[in-house]
Amino acid sequence: MRSALLVLLVILSTGFQAVSGQSIPVNRDNYRLQIIRTENPITVDGVLDEKIWSHAEKTGNFHRILPIDTGYAQAQTEVMVAYDEVNIYMGIICHDTMPGKRPAESLRRDFSFGKNDNFIAFIDTYNDQTNGFAFGISAAGAQWDGLQANGGAVSLDWDCKWRSAVQNYPEYWVAEFSIPFRSIRYREGDSEWGINFSRLDLKTNEKSSWAPVPRQFASATLAYTGTLAWDKPLPSSGVRVSLIPYVSGQATHQKEAGEDIDFGGGAGLDAKVILSTSMNLDVTINPDYSQVEVDQQRTNLDRFELYFPEKRKFFLENSDLFASLGTESVRPFFSRRIGLDAPVRAGARLSGNAGENWRVGLMNMQTGVKDTISASNFSVAVLQRKILSRSNVGLFITNKQVMGTAGDSSYHSYLYNRVAGAEFNFASADNNWTGKTFYHQSFNPGPEGNRFTTAAVIKYETQQFSAGWNQAYVGGNYLAEMGFVRRKGYHQTNPAIGYKFYPMSERIANHGPEITVDLFFEPDFSLTDREIELSYSLTWMDRSSIALDLEEGYVRLLEPFDPTNTGGEMIPAGSEFNWTEVALTYQSNQRQLFTYQLSGATGNLF
């Protein structure tokens, strides 16, 4: 293992001097598209026969992103944008250069991006190169939409009402969009939005975009957008209200027990109040979550709980304000804690942009009594200000208050738990540098001292070279009952470094090594966990890939552990385990009708 690490360090030290491929931010003035107003109705049918499309401005040539990011795309795309008082319209023409069927894996909403011919528009309505909206469609007509946050990452759990249509022809396919203004948020008075368009053509194996995006970044990255120019500043929308009431009923009859029929039912209301073009209020009374999409089934063989994303619509809009606090393993607020074991009775949520540089999020939720679980009130407040070009600082506070008891008060750790903190999120203009640092403090009855967590994360990424470092501390008495904290009482050090070679080859796209180290220490800096992973991957031009992974690990248990989670024999605290594992994985060409993945591993596993 040590010799392998030494070889990798020699490779990286040799290649480090040759690092190139620095990303240059897009000059948005060079990628400018005029949106024009139409006075005549547009029928969304995929046939661009309305008069407005005959004289609307079209985008210029699309640039390749993958498999290489030089030159123009072979399969070109043309986009036109128009609007009226209610909707934004897009007319899209996707040209084909190769005969044959257009791949479509599925007709489901939010289809798999890499397995379907598709077109996607990324709209930076706030011009902050951080948050926005994504609307896409496959060549088969399936819709794809989501919220963009943290520089461009798309959350597909969010859906809205919009219309689209597709028409297929031998040498091209046409798409038409109609996106209601009321489905998106923006600042009134603005005359420009950031925008980019992405096209995936699987027959030519090209991913392309209108404004060029370096290949190490996703095409959704909002640091690389052009400009959508409006002919006049956007007006105020006024206050709008949407109401979604429901009534349900049920009848239960225990025939074998000889009981009478038990009738029951419920009623509730969801409301969305659009206070301005950039601020909205969500209200819920006795909500029914029976129609929420189920979670993906997962088997937990770990010592710690698993994270499942929020899918309830009430919590989704502007969810990054709340959900991006902390890191993936230390979140002071996790909305799924609300209503997990007791019904939600009512709640309100105010979120959005307050001015050019400020964002605000306020939420209050009340749960009821269920069996031995007491009613509780959950509150969270977030204030965020944009600084520099793509960074922000923020303050937040959470509060969980138990409202009396329902029999077994031991279910709750304390009658109240509060967490307050400050955060700094950093992203450079070219997106090569990203990072985060924060300090959180918890407040509640109980043991004093070590009630805080702090972390610093930094990452640097170019086409060839990537490096990152995560340093964190979580106090043993830090408590976030409204959050998601996998473990407490540790220091964590997590460096990673990688390099990619781009050979002058018609078959190989890139290859290169990567090493990741993840170390956990007790507060006295005695080692409890170590995982070192050395990998080498190779990707072909057809996007098939192969990866070799070598992993070395160590764990010292701090508590007794039942790996089967069946109540069987426990492994005692203090037990130590060392293991090594070698794995080889091959992923086939995803453009083919039949795709597969082959993987094999040998070694020990804890």
Side-chain angles (χ1 to χ4, degrees):
M1 180 68 187
R2 291 179 180 175
S3 61
L5 296 179
L6 181 60
V7 170
L8 176 64
L9 291 175
V10 171
I11 293 173
L12 292 176
S13 62
T14 302
F16 190 85
Q17 301 299 324
V19 171
S20 61
Q22 296 290 327
S23 304
I24 301 175
V26 172
N27 184 344
R28 291 175 57 171
D29 290 336
N30 293 335
Y31 299 91
R32 192 176 184 87
L33 181 64
Q34 184 70 45
I35 182 173
I36 58 176
R37 181 181 176 90
T38 176
E39 303 297 338
N40 300 314
I42 292 180
T43 302
V44 181
D45 54 6
V47 179
L48 305 181
D49 55 356
E50 288 84 5
K51 185 178 180 180
I52 190 71
W53 299 128
S54 64
H55 59 269
E57 184 178 357
K58 295 182 179 179
T59 53
N61 289 332
F62 273 44
H63 299 260
R64 280 190 303 227
I65 302 176
L66 291 175
I68 58 175
D69 61 357
T70 57
Y72 293 123
Q74 181 180 347
Q76 277 296 320
T77 308
E78 298 174 298
V79 186
M80 300 165 286
V81 187
Y83 76 101
D84 58 21
E85 291 185 357
V86 180
N87 301 301
I88 300 171
Y89 301 96
M90 293 187 188
I92 305 111
I93 305 173
C94 300
H95 296 277
D96 269 352
T97 57
M98 296 180 64
K101 295 182 178 180
R102 300 179 181 104
E105 178 209 31
S106 172
L107 296 179
R108 63 183 172 88
R109 191 176 187 129
D110 299 332
F111 51 83
S112 175
F113 172 84
K115 298 181 180 181
N116 297 264
D117 274 17
N118 65 70
F119 168 89
I120 302 177
F122 304 107
I123 312 175
D124 177 12
T125 57
Y126 293 121
N127 275 321
D128 59 5
Q129 298 181 298
T130 304
N131 303 282
F133 301 85
F135 296 91
I137 197 165
S138 73
Q143 288 188 338
W144 190 96
D145 53 3
L147 289 174
Q148 292 189 259
N150 302 320
V154 181
S155 171
L156 297 176
D157 294 316
W158 176 84
D159 294 317
C160 76
K161 293 181 179 180
W162 60 289
R163 292 180 296 152
S164 61
V166 166
Q167 295 290 338
N168 280 269
Y169 304 94
E171 297 181 352
Y172 61 94
W173 57 280
V174 178
E176 205 166 12
F177 291 179
S178 173
I179 304 168
F181 280 104
R182 66 182 304 165
S183 293
I184 60 177
R185 304 292 172 261
Y186 54 91
R187 288 197 304 264
E188 60 185 74
D190 279 358
S191 57
E192 292 183 352
W193 287 355
I195 198 166
N196 206 358
F197 308 108
S198 169
R199 164 90 182 278
L200 179 63
D201 183 76
L202 292 177
K203 286 190 293 183
T204 58
N205 191 32
E206 282 185 334
K207 183 169 74 167
S208 59
S209 63
W210 173 49
V213 179
R215 58 185 159 189
Q216 72 267 29
F217 300 132
S219 55
T221 305
L222 293 178
Y224 296 88
T225 60
T227 297
L228 183 67
W230 295 81
D231 54 357
K232 61 181 179 180
L234 292 161
S236 171
S237 64
V239 177
R240 299 181 179 180
V241 180
S242 298
L243 301 177
I244 308 174
Y246 83 89
V247 177
S248 64
Q250 65 180 28
T252 305
H253 188 193
Q254 298 285 353
K255 297 183 66 175
E256 294 183 358
E259 298 179 357
D260 296 332
I261 298 177
D262 182 23
F263 293 96
L269 174 71
D270 285 332
K272 179 178 286 291
V273 183
I274 301 175
L275 302 174
S276 71
T277 58
S278 61
M279 184 74 67
N280 56 272
L281 173 68
D282 294 277
V283 178
T284 187
I285 300 173
N286 196 29
D288 176 24
Y289 298 129
S290 61
Q291 301 301 313
V292 176
E293 182 182 354
V294 298
D295 294 316
Q296 181 181 4
Q297 186 174 4
R298 298 164 65 186
T299 301
N300 187 8
L301 300 177
D302 201 354
R303 293 168 289 164
F304 312 105
E305 70 173 322
L306 299 177
Y307 175 82
F308 290 93
E310 178 63 82
K311 296 185 177 182
R312 294 172 291 180
K313 189 173 182 179
F314 175 85
F315 295 98
L316 293 181
E317 188 166 347
N318 290 310
S319 60
D320 65 289
L321 269 170
F322 308 97
S324 63
L325 297 172
T327 61
E328 291 184 358
S329 57
V330 184
R331 303 174 187 266
F333 176 77
F334 180 38
S335 59
R336 289 189 60 146
R337 299 292 187 209
I338 303 172
L340 180 65
D341 299 297
V344 174
R345 295 306 184 199
R349 186 172 178 272
L350 178 71
S351 62
N353 283 43
E356 183 176 355
N357 296 315
W358 293 92
R359 298 182 74 201
V360 62
L362 301 171
M363 183 190 304
N364 184 269
M365 305 291 291
Q366 179 67 46
T367 61
V369 176
K370 182 178 180 181
D371 300 327
T372 60
I373 301 173
S374 304
S376 296
N377 184 266
F378 299 83
S379 300
V380 58
V382 183
L383 182 64
Q384 190 181 91
R385 177 175 172 80
K386 177 184 174 183
I387 60 173
L388 305 177
S389 61
R390 300 181 58 238
S391 305
N392 61 72
V393 294
L395 301 172
F396 77 90
I397 185 169
T398 71
N399 180 61
K400 178 184 176 182
Q401 189 79 41
V402 178
M403 314 296 288
T405 61
D408 183 9
S409 60
S410 63
Y411 170 81
H412 304 281
S413 299
Y414 303 104
L415 291 179
Y416 72 89
N417 171 236
R418 301 177 185 118
V419 179
E423 302 202 342
F424 170 53
N425 297 282
F426 173 74
S428 63
D430 58 9
N431 209 52
N432 286 150
W433 287 96
T434 54
K436 179 171 192 167
T437 185
F438 64 78
Y439 178 89
H440 302 168
Q441 179 80 42
S442 64
F443 304 89
N444 46 259
E448 299 287 343
N450 293 322
R451 291 184 175 181
F452 71 94
T453 177
T454 185
V457 183
I458 189 69
K459 183 178 180 181
Y460 177 73
E461 184 176 15
T462 65
Q463 290 190 11
Q464 286 84 12
F465 179 71
S466 64
W469 193 289
N470 173 24
Q471 189 71 37
Y473 171 75
V474 181
N477 294 324
Y478 174 72
L479 181 63
E481 288 191 341
M482 289 177 62
F484 178 85
V485 182
R486 297 199 75 204
R487 59 191 294 185
K488 297 188 293 184
Y490 67 86
H491 295 273
Q492 181 186 17
T493 297
N494 178 210
I497 191 169
Y499 196 92
K500 281 188 177 181
F501 299 93
Y502 295 89
M504 299 296 292
S505 170
E506 294 182 357
R507 296 188 59 192
I508 299 175
N510 62 75
H511 63 91
E514 183 177 12
I515 183 171
T516 303
V517 180
D518 200 4
L519 305 174
F520 286 84
F521 304 89
E522 290 191 85
D524 62 0
F525 290 98
S526 58
L527 183 68
T528 65
D529 299 73
R530 179 184 66 243
E531 187 173 304
I532 303 174
E533 183 175 358
L534 173 63
S535 64
Y536 203 101
S537 62
L538 184 149
T539 302
W540 283 275
M541 285 291 188
D542 65 4
R543 300 196 192 177
S544 59
S545 62
I546 190 169
L548 177 66
D549 294 278
L550 174 63
E551 180 181 313
E552 188 271 339
Y554 164 80
V555 162
R556 174 167 56 89
L557 295 180
L558 301 179
E559 297 178 357
F561 175 53
D562 173 17
T564 65
N565 198 30
T566 60
E569 183 177 354
M570 303 287 286
I571 302 176
S575 300
E576 296 182 313
F577 298 89
N578 289 275
W579 72 90
T580 57
E581 180 181 333
V582 179
L584 184 66
T585 302
Y586 174 77
Q587 178 66 62
S588 70
N589 182 351
Q590 296 296 293
R591 300 180 298 149
Q592 301 299 320
L593 181 63
F594 174 71
T595 64
Y596 59 92
Q597 177 178 302
L598 298 175
S599 60
T602 181
N604 311 100
L605 178 64
F606 169 68

